[in-house]
Amino acid sequence: TLEQRVSERTRQLTESERRFRDIVDTTDGIVWEADARDFTFTFVSRKADATPKSVLSSTARNVASSVSQSALTAKGSSSAFS
């Protein structure tokens, strides 16, 4: 019946989502997803240093700019060790 098919597909989707979260939560790195139209984050894994809500209110471009600026600052401050 239709109800049985819907129930089975819902169970399969739930299991698939659980497997995805298991992979993301155990990956040694930050997993993220952004909307291709405006680069707004739609998902950021728990491994991110920032809280996901603060990142989700930002865009990939803003974060990339911030990371680039931090990298330049770090590179400049560590140049004595080069």
Side-chain angles (χ1 to χ4, degrees):
T1 69
L2 179 58
E3 289 177 357
Q4 289 172 328
R5 288 174 45 198
V6 169
S7 178
E8 177 61 17
R9 290 296 295 149
T10 301
R11 186 194 62 73
Q12 290 172 347
L13 178 59
T14 301
E15 177 60 20
S16 176
E17 288 175 344
R18 185 196 61 76
R19 286 192 315 265
F20 173 79
R21 289 193 188 279
D22 286 348
I23 291 168
V24 168
D25 289 343
T26 58
T27 297
D28 189 24
I30 298 171
V31 177
W32 57 271
E33 175 186 68
D35 187 311
R37 292 170 290 177
D38 61 4
F39 302 104
T40 302
F41 285 105
T42 56
F43 175 81
V44 178
S45 65
R46 296 177 186 163
K47 300 258 182 176
D49 285 340
T51 60
K53 284 187 179 183
S54 68
V55 174
L56 288 174
S57 65
S58 189
T59 66
R61 287 183 177 158
N62 292 345
V63 172
S65 175
S66 174
V67 169
S68 295
Q69 193 68 324
S70 296
L72 288 173
T73 302
K75 185 176 181 180
S77 65
S78 65
S79 61
F81 301 106
S82 302

